[in-house]
Amino acid sequence: MSITSSMPVLRGRGATVLSAVPGGLVLERPGGQVMIPFRAIARVHVEAREVTVELSAPAGAAPSVHRIEEVSAAAAAAFADAVNVLLPAPVEDVDGSALVEVRTFTRTWLQRFRRTLGRVLLGCLAGVLALSVTNAVAGDGRTAVTGALFVVALGALAVVGIGLGAVCVVPWFH
């Protein structure tokens, strides 16, 4: 049975999450993740609804800190108490920031391309829909409605075809 299983998971502002895992703490933010081993932590303290993880630092140097804001006050106090109990005895002249692992999650060019292509295709579909509504309103009776349906059908096929072509061809040329 893990000691860290009874610790609360802190959820803060901006989808920030601080949780305990065997061997340390994990601070997750939308753009990345910070793994902080227990031996790098000097102390964890709470101020109102803010938890600060202070890293150990050599004598005379300012310690690095990681914060999570707008958390539950009761959960923050319980979390800080539980983590402080688990911390090993402080070691002199250890730079805790050197022990921290930072991972960033960036989008690849293909993910950015697909997202941009999706937005362009939705814009094209909106243009086709606007064109068909204009055709139906400006035309005469049955001919206008038939023309509008024709424009929607062919326009949607054209947009889908362009999208499939772009998804298939662009990665070959990159």
Side-chain angles (χ1 to χ4, degrees):
M1 185 166 137
S2 173
I3 295 174
T4 59
S5 65
S6 62
M7 285 189 210
V9 173
L10 301 178
R11 298 184 190 286
R13 177 177 28 157
T16 304
V17 177
L18 180 64
S19 59
V21 295
L25 302 178
V26 176
L27 179 63
E28 297 175 72
R29 294 188 173 125
Q33 180 182 50
V34 180
M35 175 62 188
I36 309 168
F38 284 133
R39 66 178 189 258
I41 301 172
R43 70 184 178 124
V44 177
H45 62 291
V46 179
E47 294 177 16
R49 296 182 58 197
E50 180 179 287
V51 175
T52 303
V53 178
E54 185 177 313
L55 303 179
S56 57
S64 298
V65 296
H66 295 278
R67 285 192 178 89
I68 181 170
E69 300 169 339
E70 294 184 16
V71 296
S72 165
F79 186 86
D81 291 342
V83 170
N84 286 329
V85 167
L86 293 175
L87 294 178
V91 179
E92 303 256 337
D93 295 330
V94 172
D95 186 10
S97 61
L99 302 173
V100 173
E101 293 178 32
V102 179
R103 295 183 195 151
T104 57
F105 307 122
T106 57
R107 286 190 161 79
T108 64
W109 72 269
L110 186 58
Q111 290 171 326
R112 287 191 308 269
F113 168 73
R114 287 181 179 162
R115 174 173 277 191
T116 303
L117 179 65
R119 290 177 179 164
V120 168
L121 293 178
L122 283 176
C124 290
L125 283 175
V128 166
L129 185 61
L131 182 61
S132 65
V133 168
T134 303
N135 188 14
V137 170
D140 296 330
R142 289 183 128 187
T143 308
V145 173
T146 305
L149 292 176
F150 186 70
V151 167
V152 167
L154 284 181
L157 280 174
V159 169
V160 169
I162 290 169
L164 287 175
V167 167
C168 293
V169 173
V170 168
W172 290 345
F173 289 108
H174 184 60

